[in-house]
Amino acid sequence: MSALPDGVPALDGALHTDLATRTRFATDAGRIATALPAAVLRPGSAADVARVVRYCRRHRIPIAARGLGNTTGGQSLVAGGVVVDARALSGIRSITPSAAVVGAGTTWLELARAAAGHGRAIPAATGYLDLTVGGTLSVGGVPPAVAAGAQVDHVHELEVVTGDGELRRCSPAADRDLFEAVLAGLGRFGIITEAVVGLGPAPATVRGWSIPYTDQGAFFADLRTLVRRGEVTEVFGDWWRPGEAGEVHHLNAFAFAGTEGPPGTAHVLRGLTAAPAAAEVRESGYLEHVTRIDTAVADLRAALGWDALVKPWVTTWLPDSRVEEVVGAVLTGLTPADVGTGGFVLLYPHRRAALTRPSLRLPAPDAGDPDGSDLVHLFTLMTAGPPGANAAFATAMAERNRALLDRARAAGGTRYPIGTVAFGPADWRAHYGERWHELAALRRRYDPAGILTPGHGVFPG
């Protein structure tokens, strides 16, 4: 579709149909998928979103919200349809000790900085914060904090526009079916326009430890020890730092503390297979800590032309009983091309009990392993292709991603759907399992014309 039908409603904002604007919204962070929309809505209000959704429903025009486009598989793209520029809905309405009311286009980085001025913090701060609230709440928003759950677990209330063009408010106490469908719902049940998200007290200081390992068994043993003691807030692994080729396992732990100060190195690292002297220790303020990856990415943008790099990412959830097997096999097979220029390989362990949203699909509990059944691990390979990478490279990486995902699923894992992986209706049905029929019914209820966010391909047609 190259032009919109007549009858575009009067708006507080604007509907842009010029080629330059449409082109800016024709790809995402992956720089692989492309789809030119017919128009880009920069709403002046949530009512604008409702007006345009009703218009799109009448004319069977697909529509999707887009924050900063940080998915890599074309999830927010809409060929011939309308993209809602959610950044136009940014703004922090209020901050109280327990919660913040924010527009969907607000970034978590903006909220973290504003909340810090009130002595408050985001309970589930993702490693990288320059992501919109509406964007991560549509997928999950997974932090390195072990027991914090995901960002979707800290939402008090949502304002959404459903696919029938209705502006609704929902919460655990009001229209709960919609609330649970929208959170981690991939934009298929409603466009988030505003959210009330939880806040907690901001730590005074953060002390961190980074320990290198060459033995995978020792790395995982110490990771589990730190997680189960519960004395540190964040624990994660990373590989392929500059100058390495995946042979070093880096175990990272951070303890958040109030005015009493963080625990000492000897106490936190006691009894690990690694000697405390092997750890690199660092200390910072809370805000400096949670924004450090944003600072690093800004440097990558300047040094490597990060935004233009092809980024075919893949992210999976793995059960604790099989995580060593899958991670070890993947690491053994990686080449420099698989990680690329400034790429990352990360592992976040999480307590299953803190991940409560039904649409955030996790591995089934390890029935034969009571100790491990409460742990799941988010494993991500964030490839950043070399400058000038061609379509053949992207195709090869997408095939690699599917093979990696199939390995994870064979081990009981599930997909975290932000990356570049071929995934059809049968895959989605298996992904949602017993929740599939309920979601299909909710989609018919809240998006009867099937116009919302087609980029994921969850429902056929």
Side-chain angles (χ1 to χ4, degrees), residues 253-448:
F254 294 90
F256 293 6
T259 54
E260 75 283 359
T265 296
H267 175 77
V268 170
L269 305 186
R270 69 193 185 282
L272 300 187
T273 65
E280 175 188 340
V281 185
R282 53 201 137 162
E283 194 160 330
S284 68
Y286 169 74
L287 192 60
E288 178 188 353
H289 170 73
V290 296
T291 61
R292 73 195 188 285
I293 304 301
D294 293 270
T295 300
V297 170
D299 292 341
L300 284 174
R301 284 195 167 106
L304 302 176
W306 171 260
D307 289 341
L309 295 178
V310 171
K311 293 180 281 295
W313 297 347
V314 59
T315 304
T316 66
W317 286 104
L318 299 172
D320 189 61
S321 62
R322 305 285 296 274
V323 63
E324 293 177 59
E325 168 197 335
V326 175
V327 170
V330 171
L331 291 175
T332 299
L334 291 182
T335 69
D338 285 295
V339 180
T341 307
F344 304 90
V345 185
L346 298 169
L347 181 76
Y348 287 0
H350 270 269
R351 290 208 174 275
R352 178 192 303 276
L355 299 161
T356 63
R357 296 301 177 211
S359 289
L360 187 66
R361 305 305 287 175
L362 303 174
D366 295 327
D369 180 10
D371 261 353
S373 64
D374 187 44
L375 292 183
V376 289
H377 302 262
L378 190 77
F379 182 50
T380 185
L381 172 53
M382 303 175 74
T383 302
N390 58 21
F393 172 81
T395 298
M397 291 296 101
E399 292 172 354
R400 175 213 63 187
N401 289 354
R402 181 66 205 215
L404 192 158
L405 177 61
D406 287 343
R407 180 190 294 274
R409 292 170 79 188
T414 58
R415 182 186 177 206
Y416 183 66
I418 61 171
T420 309
V421 182
F423 213 67
D427 293 309
W428 285 113
R429 183 181 288 265
H431 175 81
Y432 286 113
E434 80 289 347
R435 186 159 166 74
W436 172 260
H437 292 293
E438 180 183 1
L439 290 176
L442 288 169
R443 188 245 188 161
R444 291 191 295 271
R445 176 179 171 187
Y446 290 114
D447 182 21

Side-chain angles (χ1 to χ4, degrees), residues 18-238:
D18 62 284
L19 182 60
T21 301
R22 292 159 56 209
T23 300
R24 285 198 295 275
F25 287 80
T27 190
D28 60 13
R31 296 297 185 264
I32 299 167
T34 59
L36 187 68
V40 174
L41 172 65
R42 290 203 170 106
S45 61
D48 272 359
V49 180
R51 293 176 186 116
V52 172
V53 168
R54 289 194 293 271
Y55 166 82
C56 288
R57 181 188 178 188
R58 284 197 303 274
H59 296 284
R60 296 296 195 270
I61 298 169
I63 182 169
R66 172 193 172 106
L68 288 166
N70 275 289
T71 50
T72 70
Q75 289 88 338
S76 63
L77 305 186
V78 193
V82 175
V83 173
V84 179
D85 180 3
R87 280 294 281 159
L89 295 172
S90 65
I92 298 171
R93 322 290 193 228
S94 66
I95 292 177
T96 68
S98 62
V101 182
V102 296
T106 307
T107 68
W108 292 100
L109 183 61
E110 292 164 343
L111 178 56
R113 288 171 172 162
H118 296 259
R120 313 312 288 169
I122 303 163
T126 49
Y128 178 64
L129 291 175
D130 198 21
L131 308 166
T132 63
V133 169
T136 65
L137 295 186
S138 295
V139 182
V142 183
V146 173
Q151 288 173 334
V152 289
D153 296 297
H154 297 275
V155 182
H156 298 181
E157 186 176 304
L158 294 171
E159 179 185 78
V160 302
V161 175
T162 48
D164 54 7
E166 293 297 318
L167 182 62
R168 307 170 190 261
R169 296 197 78 87
C170 56
S171 69
D175 211 347
R176 182 165 188 161
D177 284 349
L178 177 62
F179 182 73
E180 297 289 10
V182 170
L183 291 172
L186 309 180
R188 294 311 312 256
F189 307 94
I191 294 173
I192 299 171
T193 54
E194 185 178 271
V196 183
V197 297
L199 297 176
T205 58
V206 178
R207 180 172 290 161
W209 300 267
S210 182
I211 311 170
Y213 294 78
T214 55
D215 180 82
Q216 178 177 296
F219 164 84
F220 275 102
D222 287 356
L223 179 147
R224 289 191 179 96
T225 295
L226 290 175
V227 168
R228 288 180 177 139
R229 282 177 182 164
E231 297 170 346
V232 292
T233 305
E234 297 179 352
V235 181
F236 63 93
D238 73 80

